[in-house]
Amino acid sequence: LGYGVRVGAGISALAALRGSVIVATDASGRVGTRVEDSLVASFAPVASLSYDIDESWRVGGTFRGELMGRFNVVIEVRDLGGISVPPLNISGLAQYDPWQLTLEASRSSRRSTLALSATYSHWSAYPGPIEATVRCEDAPDPDPNCLAPVPDDPGYSPTLTPRLGGEYRIDLQTGARLALRGGYAFVPTPAPEQTGRTNLFDAHRSVPSLGWGLMLERPLPRLSFDGFVQLGVIHSRRHQKSVSEGAARDAEIETRGTTV
């Protein structure tokens, strides 16, 4: 837009599955099924704004909307004599990205760039990966005393993720420049300790990374090559399972690991 102001907008998309399975008796007395499935898209907005304070300093922010990839297949049983079966929902959340707000500041010179950012993720709205299979209100004859099980609230909390990254550039020869990069992020877990029947195990993560880039310009061909490696260290965490909290038995479970 000029005056050091830049804006951007876009969308993210995920596929969701919706369908139905009807089980019924046909005219010949045979039990058959009819299956109908469809893929639908869910969308989330993405918007960003940055401002160049001067030739060295830039600040900016990005908003990403909540994005959910659901699946829901409803099984209905009809005309099976005196058998009454409520609709069965094979449903849940295959992928969930909470709405996020990221703020970043960076300082650049001819040789180097250093950036610091923080991302707020609204995990408290996460409904959990599964939904109730039988829903009392969907039964043919709703029973006010219906006690169909309902998934527990996962009890997730919002998180704030800090990130630090840097790049140092080296002139190799005319038209060739090498960039050395490094970064670190601390990703706190939104999940509480798993004391009951749920097993949504998660823990804080440290994510260091290293990278490189090779930029070619005239008189060489205008090409660029980039590569990086990232290590995810899942911090050790203990979960104390308790029968009084709904667990199958009292137990202590430790989680930890690494990803590359």
Side-chain angles (χ1 to χ4, degrees):
L1 299 181
Y3 304 99
V5 178
R6 295 176 172 84
V7 296
I11 58 173
S12 296
L14 278 178
L17 175 67
R18 294 179 183 174
S20 64
V21 178
I22 297 177
V23 182
T25 304
D26 60 20
S28 64
R30 295 181 178 179
V31 177
T33 60
R34 186 180 69 203
V35 180
E36 296 180 357
D37 293 324
S38 61
L39 285 176
V40 296
S42 60
F43 300 96
V46 181
S48 62
L49 172 69
S50 71
Y51 174 65
D52 292 341
I53 299 174
D54 55 30
E55 294 182 356
S56 299
W57 287 93
R58 175 182 293 177
V59 294
T62 299
F63 172 80
R64 298 178 180 87
E66 181 184 57
L67 188 60
M68 294 187 286
R70 292 185 177 275
F71 61 94
N72 186 32
V73 178
V74 182
I75 302 175
E76 296 185 40
V77 179
R78 303 176 182 175
D79 305 324
L80 292 185
I83 301 176
S84 178
V85 179
L88 304 177
N89 297 271
I90 310 303
S91 56
L93 201 55
Q95 180 172 331
Y96 179 80
D97 297 328
W99 69 259
Q100 297 179 337
L101 179 63
T102 298
L103 299 177
E104 180 177 296
S106 66
R107 185 181 187 281
S108 296
S109 65
R110 181 180 177 277
R111 290 287 186 184
S112 63
T113 298
L114 184 66
L116 176 65
S117 75
T119 299
Y120 171 85
S121 301
H122 191 65
W123 277 106
S124 56
Y126 179 51
I130 59 176
E131 300 178 9
T133 303
V134 176
R135 300 166 188 174
C136 297
E137 64 274 14
D138 293 340
D141 299 309
D143 183 354
N145 298 317
C146 175
L147 297 176
V150 177
D152 295 333
D153 184 344
Y156 275 31
S157 303
T159 62
L160 186 65
T161 302
R163 293 182 172 87
L164 175 66
E167 177 183 271
Y168 185 75
R169 295 174 286 275
I170 304 171
D171 293 327
L172 300 179
Q173 64 179 56
T174 303
R177 176 176 290 189
L178 176 66
L180 303 177
R181 301 167 182 145
Y184 174 80
F186 176 74
V187 185
T189 177
E193 180 184 351
Q194 301 297 289
T195 60
R197 60 180 178 175
T198 60
N199 293 315
L200 303 178
F201 297 121
D202 196 19
H204 302 319
R205 286 181 291 136
S206 290
V207 188
S209 60
L210 294 173
W212 62 273
L214 178 62
M215 287 74 71
L216 305 180
E217 298 178 348
R218 293 182 178 179
L220 301 175
R222 296 177 61 88
L223 296 171
S224 63
F225 304 89
D226 296 279
F228 80 99
V229 61
Q230 187 178 79
L231 176 66
V233 180
I234 303 171
H235 296 191
S236 177
R237 188 180 188 186
R238 296 182 183 275
H239 304 265
Q240 189 66 49
K241 291 284 189 176
S242 173
V243 173
S244 62
E245 296 289 337
R249 61 187 178 89
D250 293 334
E252 183 178 82
I253 299 174
E254 182 181 2
T255 57
R256 63 179 184 273
T258 56
T259 61
V260 179

